[in-house]
Amino acid sequence: GAFNIINNNVVDSNSTQGGGVDVWGILLAAVAGGEALHNVVSGNVVTNNGAQGIIVRSIGTYQTSYNLIIGNISSFNTGSDGNGDGIAIDGSSGGTLRGNAIVGNMCFGNQRQGILLAGDSSASIFDTTIIGNSCISNARTGIYAASSHNDSFVAHNLCSSNGTEIS
């Protein structure tokens, strides 16, 4: 959908990995027949979910763009296949992800990355902004931004006590 606001919710303990889409805390996704544009996810507490806490993803030829993820807490998310990220911009199923922003969030104690920006070769990921976030004590990386995605801006983030701070 477009122009939706997901604000001030507690999203806790959704399923375990392998349970379909129910494992994510909050999912913004472009799927068959629709795109996810100009949405705001703000002020939520997302914890103990079976995969990513907050995931922004696109599938196939669809577009998930110009979404704002701001002022959320995403913590202690895990997955049986190791995909427990706090917040993810995920192009693993192709599609276009353009102009999404992750601003002023706190990600801590997640199984993998605090913030992940990655996708496969069929995904087009452009103009992502990751600014002013705190990523603390995540098992792998505070912020992981794959080098294959163009025009990303990563600045003024605090990363501490992660496996790797920023990669």
Side-chain angles (χ1 to χ4, degrees):
F3 300 101
N4 296 295
I5 298 172
I6 301 170
N7 185 39
N8 291 331
N9 298 286
V10 174
V11 183
D12 188 4
S13 301
N14 284 298
S15 194
T16 57
Q17 181 61 25
V21 297
D22 297 330
V23 297
W24 297 303
I26 296 173
L27 167 66
L28 284 181
V31 295
E35 298 187 331
L37 306 170
H38 303 283
N39 297 293
V40 177
V41 177
S42 66
N44 299 287
V45 176
V46 185
T47 189
N48 295 310
N49 295 290
Q52 290 86 356
I54 299 170
I55 183 167
V56 178
R57 102 187 283 226
S58 190
I59 298 172
T61 60
Y62 298 98
Q63 181 176 196
T64 301
S65 296
Y66 309 109
N67 298 291
L68 176 61
I69 312 302
I70 186 168
N72 300 284
I73 297 170
S74 187
S75 62
F76 305 112
N77 297 292
T78 64
S80 62
D81 65 351
N83 65 341
D85 303 309
I87 300 172
I89 303 288
D90 175 21
S92 64
S93 296
T96 299
L97 297 111
R98 177 184 300 278
N100 294 294
I102 301 172
V103 180
N105 299 282
M106 178 174 283
C107 300
F108 62 92
N110 294 292
Q111 178 186 36
R112 194 165 65 168
Q113 275 69 245
I115 297 173
L116 169 69
L117 170 62
D120 68 17
S121 61
S122 67
S124 297
I125 302 176
F126 299 98
D127 304 324
T128 303
T129 299
I130 301 172
I131 190 168
N133 300 284
S134 296
C135 297
I136 301 167
S137 297
N138 297 287
R140 290 198 190 160
T141 309
I143 298 173
Y144 179 83
S147 61
S148 61
H149 305 299
N150 298 319
D151 303 322
S152 297
F153 180 72
V154 179
H156 305 291
N157 297 287
L158 170 65
C159 295
S160 177
S161 302
N162 301 289
T164 301
E165 303 312 337
I166 298 177
S167 174

